[in-house]
């Protein structure tokens, strides 16, 4: 079967990475978690006292940031395994702040395109179908109500042993949606040719089946 490139965009906690990982495994594709890369930049700034709101300082910090990811979905920042550390809610917010900066986006989009250049990839993020891979053969825009997303994140946090308060999580998700959708550069929006999937009332299996159907259809077309 022809290997295609798949873009999954959508707001925070819509289940993009869960679906992308399962679909990548089924297809033997490479999964690239682009949000993890923005999280690494946010994490680096917080750890090294770089003011998140000082765009010049964040831009300068990029010289000291090397991000690597492996096929086991581990994320390394300057050779340190930060896979778990970057999942904290304060890092989510930091990632959202630094992702609004042009130089941060240039730095990461370049790396994402290089990683995706061989095809047979599935990337999830906010700007994959619109900016990173505008020619991706399959573009999905995955959404869910903020209430559903907050509940999912709440349960995930509990499972990971992280602090969890449902109301705070929902408020933070809504704030992040606003920031990601209203920034000047590459705001989150549905690409014209993306297929929207609302996962609010769907099970994980139903979403995976829907995406797999679309993949098979696209592989046939190609
Ligand atoms: O997908 P995530 O929650 O791990 O992403 C963290 C933040 O990074 C998100 O709030 C916005 C930003 N991001 C982005 O701007 N572009 C991407 N392709 C991926 C993430």
């Amino acid at each position: 079967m022809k290997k295609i490139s798949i873009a999954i965009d959508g707001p925070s906690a819509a289940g993009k990475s869960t679906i992308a990982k399962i679909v990548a495994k089924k297809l033997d594709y490479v999964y690239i978690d682009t949000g993890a890369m923005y999280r690494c930049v946010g994490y680096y700034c917080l750890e090294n006292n770089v003011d998140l709101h000082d765009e010049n300082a964040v831009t300068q910090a990029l010289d000291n940031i090397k991000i690597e990811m492996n096929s086991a979905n581990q994320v390394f920042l300057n050779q340190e395994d930060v896979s778990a550390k970057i999942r904290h809610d304060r890092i989510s917010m930091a990632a959202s702040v630094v992702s609004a900066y042009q130089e941060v986006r240039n730095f990461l989009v370049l790396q994402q395109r290089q990683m995706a250049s061989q095809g047979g990839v599935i990337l999830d993020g906010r700007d994959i179908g619109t900016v990173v891979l505008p020619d991706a053969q399959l573009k999905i825009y995955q959404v869910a109500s903020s209430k559903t997303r907050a509940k999912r994140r709440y349960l995930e946090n509990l499972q990971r042993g992280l602090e969890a308060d449902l109301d705070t999580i929902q408020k933070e998700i809504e704030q992040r949606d606003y920031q990601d959708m209203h920034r000047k550069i590459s705001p989150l929006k549905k690409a014209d040719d993306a297929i929207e999937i609302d996962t609010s009332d769907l099970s994980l299996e139903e979403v995976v089946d829907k995406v797999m159907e679309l993949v098979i259809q696209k592989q046939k077309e190609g």
Side-chain angles (χ1 to χ4, degrees):
M1 272 293 189
K2 187 177 175 284
K3 293 221 163 195
I4 62 168
S5 298
I6 305 169
I8 304 188
D9 289 302
S12 325
K16 303 181 298 292
S17 68
T18 310
I19 299 300
K21 276 183 211 158
I22 298 173
V23 172
K25 208 165 196 181
K26 280 182 183 279
L27 295 168
D28 195 21
Y29 275 24
V30 173
Y31 164 57
I32 302 168
D33 175 359
T34 66
M37 301 170 81
Y38 290 92
R39 285 171 182 272
C40 280
V41 176
Y43 176 81
Y44 179 92
C45 292
L46 290 181
E47 286 294 293
N48 293 278
N49 298 319
V50 176
D51 180 358
L52 291 175
H53 298 283
D54 181 342
E55 183 168 353
N56 282 333
V58 175
T59 299
Q60 276 181 18
L62 296 175
D63 289 339
N64 304 317
I65 293 179
K66 187 166 191 292
I67 301 164
E68 287 160 299
M69 295 192 279
N70 65 18
S71 55
N73 298 317
Q74 286 175 298
V75 186
F76 296 88
L77 169 63
N78 297 330
Q79 291 172 353
E80 179 195 349
D81 183 353
V82 293
S83 316
K85 291 176 184 160
I86 58 170
R87 298 295 154 197
H88 288 256
D89 292 333
R90 69 188 190 104
I91 310 296
S92 309
M93 205 46 91
S96 180
V97 173
V98 299
S99 70
Y101 302 146
Q102 181 76 68
E103 289 304 322
V104 173
R105 303 205 71 84
N106 292 349
F107 176 72
L108 296 180
V109 168
L110 189 70
Q111 296 176 44
Q112 291 156 11
R113 287 192 180 136
Q114 275 165 358
M115 291 188 239
S117 60
Q118 301 300 314
V121 286
I122 176 160
L123 278 72
D124 79 332
R126 304 292 185 289
D127 60 340
I128 310 302
T130 51
V131 176
V132 180
L133 300 178
D135 297 328
Q137 288 88 345
L138 176 60
K139 297 182 188 176
I140 307 231
Y141 194 71
Q142 192 169 322
V143 297
S145 68
S146 62
K147 204 171 178 177
T148 306
R149 291 185 283 134
K151 264 195 210 149
R152 288 182 191 156
R153 184 51 52 88
Y154 172 77
L155 294 174
E156 234 176 69
N157 281 5
L158 285 186
Q159 262 179 0
R160 287 188 173 134
L162 299 175
E163 261 176 61
D165 173 69
L166 188 57
D167 281 348
T168 312
I169 292 176
Q170 184 167 345
K171 278 196 196 103
E172 280 180 4
I173 281 180
E174 284 166 3
Q175 188 187 339
R176 225 149 45 96
D177 284 355
Y178 186 86
Q179 284 173 193
D180 296 346
M181 287 173 178
H182 291 85
R183 66 181 178 224
K184 284 203 198 85
I185 312 150
S186 310
L188 166 65
K189 64 169 190 234
K190 180 174 168 285
D192 293 339
D193 50 351
I195 296 155
E196 182 163 324
I197 302 180
D198 186 334
T199 68
S200 305
D201 299 314
L202 296 179
S203 69
L204 192 61
E205 292 74 22
E206 285 172 318
V207 183
V208 170
D209 287 350
K210 241 179 212 275
V211 175
M212 286 302 292
E213 264 172 42
L214 292 167
V215 172
I216 291 162
Q217 194 182 322
K218 289 290 169 186
Q219 282 174 327
K220 279 189 194 148
E221 282 173 16

